[in-house]
Amino acid sequence: MKGGTVSYFLTDVEADGPIPGDFSMISIGCVMVRSGLDIRFSANLRPISDKYIEEALSVSGKTRAETLLAEEPKQVMQKFANWIAANKKGNAVFVSDNNGFDWMFTCWYFHHFLGSNPFGYSSINLGSLYKGMVKSTSKNFKHLRITAHTHDPLDDALGNAEALLRMKQEMGLEIDL
């Protein structure tokens, strides 16, 4: 990407329902995209409401009782913001597989608990990026993952970061990392 230094952060979220506020982000994982993929963040968050959908919660493999023992969301979001600030070079860019879902929860939680979002107001959808690269709306990137997609948000962020690196290394994506 031309025009300045940026750092890409592949992020994945698990939640106990479809929207933030009414429902809760229960875990988040993030990997800074660079060679080695060794800069990582993950946390479990305590629910912010009494509402939850058992089927949504079961995707993560967690029980409601387990989520109630997790860390306070404001503390997690502050740790996450501090981690981003300590690791980024230039602007921090949010990237995810399911951008509508992951961005919605992450952005809402940052603004709700901290008053601002270190990623700013925009993000990148990994699937859309790949579709543009291969010029087909019916193709997906998931075969480029190495780490299995387990619904542990750190595993999923890592697999998606691996896919982004492979897009750069094997497919010629022009992205400064």
Side-chain angles (χ1 to χ4, degrees):
M1 178 178 222
K2 305 294 183 220
T5 304
V6 295
S7 296
Y8 297 90
F9 292 88
L10 225 310
T11 307
D12 187 74
V13 164
E14 296 298 330
D16 64 10
I19 58 170
D22 289 347
F23 298 95
S24 306
M25 175 165 59
I26 59 166
S27 55
I28 189 164
C30 186
V31 177
M32 184 175 170
V33 183
R34 66 178 206 155
S35 181
L37 300 174
D38 56 343
I39 299 177
R40 303 172 185 186
F41 178 89
S42 67
N44 295 314
L45 298 84
R46 187 171 298 151
I48 60 170
S49 83
D50 293 333
K51 291 175 70 173
Y52 68 98
I53 299 171
E54 188 63 44
E55 183 180 344
L57 186 57
S58 70
V59 169
S60 69
K62 295 185 183 341
T63 66
R64 181 66 174 185
E66 288 173 315
T67 66
L68 293 172
L69 299 174
E71 199 170 352
E72 288 293 333
K74 183 174 183 173
Q75 293 170 332
V76 170
M77 298 314 288
Q78 188 61 64
K79 287 179 184 178
F80 190 26
N82 293 346
W83 177 84
I84 293 164
N87 289 294
K88 72 177 183 150
K89 309 285 189 271
N91 292 325
V93 177
F94 182 99
V95 185
S96 77
D97 171 12
N98 187 351
N99 203 47
F101 186 82
D102 298 325
W103 172 258
M104 173 177 55
F105 273 93
T106 305
C107 184
W108 190 94
Y109 268 67
F110 271 130
H111 281 283
H112 182 79
F113 290 107
L114 303 184
S116 65
N117 181 347
F119 293 114
Y121 295 98
S122 60
S123 59
I124 295 174
N125 183 299
L126 188 60
S128 296
L129 177 64
Y130 181 79
K131 290 174 187 323
M133 289 180 67
V134 299
K135 297 176 177 48
S136 172
T137 59
S138 64
K139 303 284 184 188
N140 75 57
F141 73 92
K142 296 176 183 189
H143 65 283
L144 298 173
R145 293 175 177 153
I146 297 167
T147 300
H149 192 80
T150 64
H151 291 289
D152 175 302
L154 188 56
D155 286 348
D156 296 353
L158 180 59
N160 293 333
E162 293 162 348
L164 183 58
L165 282 180
R166 290 183 71 188
M167 287 179 201
K168 175 183 173 57
Q169 295 162 350
E170 299 171 17
M171 300 176 65
L173 174 63
E174 292 186 28
I175 184 172
D176 294 328
L177 299 175

